[in-house]
Amino acid sequence: MDRKNYNDGLFAGNLFHSYNFKAFKKHALDFSNNRIHGMGKPTVSENRIYKMPQKYFIHHFSNYTVSSYVNTINRYTDMEIQNVYNSNFSLFKVLALFIKRIIKNYFFDKGYKMGRTGLYAVLMVTCYEWVKQIKIYENQNNLTRKTIEIQNDKIRDQILNEF
């Protein structure tokens, strides 16, 4: 069933709409290695899945403020990077995510019809994906508060020794 969103009290139309499995037999979906908000992977053939017409959809109301969404971004990306060790950080990917979101979500999915709210929603989702990519980079390069502080101490010692 299609899910359509409301942001800041405005109907988002097709902006970030998604299909969700809502009625299913236990054996029909596999939830192992499921991502946050993942709806499982079908274990039955495509012809056994009924897709409701788009005129029927679930109304999803978001009540995020920027502050609460930033907190969610931090919490969810921490959980998500635990499952993406085989994913590699790419600066190209970070830039491509922004371009993809603007073209797909803001223009094709008509986020522009929501005015600033649509633009802000696209930017916040892009921010989510950027933060996740940067955390993957930190994880792959063992950048933690402790390892960064060790490196900073080396540089501090070097500066002090020059005096």
Side-chain angles (χ1 to χ4, degrees):
M1 188 169 213
D2 200 4
R3 182 187 90 174
K4 297 199 179 188
N5 302 296
Y6 290 77
N7 292 75
D8 297 346
L10 298 173
F11 181 60
N14 282 335
L15 183 61
F16 306 125
H17 76 103
S18 61
Y19 282 94
N20 303 130
F21 298 112
K22 289 299 176 188
F24 55 89
K25 293 183 178 180
K26 283 184 185 181
H27 72 277
L29 291 176
D30 176 12
F31 289 98
S32 60
N33 297 320
N34 206 28
R35 298 179 71 195
I36 294 173
H37 293 128
M39 299 314 248
K41 293 177 220 101
T43 59
V44 297
S45 63
E46 189 71 29
N47 65 345
R48 303 259 339 249
I49 299 171
Y50 176 71
K51 206 175 214 182
M52 297 280 288
Q54 267 201 341
K55 68 180 181 177
Y56 304 109
F57 56 88
I58 296 167
H59 297 269
H60 178 259
F61 296 90
S62 173
N63 61 357
Y64 283 120
T65 62
V66 171
S67 181
S68 63
Y69 194 65
V70 167
N71 290 334
T72 299
I73 287 172
N74 196 41
R75 191 172 68 251
Y76 283 10
T77 54
D78 279 349
M79 288 186 272
E80 271 198 76
I81 64 163
Q82 302 307 313
N83 300 318
V84 292
Y85 285 113
N86 57 356
S87 181
N88 289 317
F89 172 83
S90 160
L91 187 56
F92 173 76
K93 188 174 183 179
V94 170
L95 297 173
L97 287 169
F98 176 70
I99 293 167
K100 174 191 168 195
R101 287 289 178 195
I102 291 295
I103 292 171
K104 182 189 180 308
N105 299 127
Y106 194 68
F107 291 110
F108 287 139
D109 293 344
K110 299 182 178 153
Y112 64 85
K113 287 187 171 187
M114 295 174 65
R116 286 184 186 175
T117 296
L119 178 62
Y120 296 160
V122 170
L123 292 175
M124 290 306 293
V125 169
T126 303
C127 180
Y128 179 96
E129 293 180 9
W130 283 352
V131 168
K132 184 170 73 174
Q133 286 300 308
I134 294 167
K135 285 183 178 185
I136 289 169
Y137 173 82
E138 288 178 338
N139 192 34
Q140 290 174 340
N141 291 282
N142 194 29
L143 295 173
T144 64
R145 289 184 70 131
K146 185 176 181 177
T147 61
I148 292 169
E149 191 58 32
I150 289 168
Q151 185 61 30
N152 287 343
D153 282 344
K154 288 178 186 176
I155 295 169
R156 285 183 193 107
D157 289 343
Q158 181 182 349
I159 292 169
L160 290 171
N161 286 333
E162 291 175 3
F163 279 112

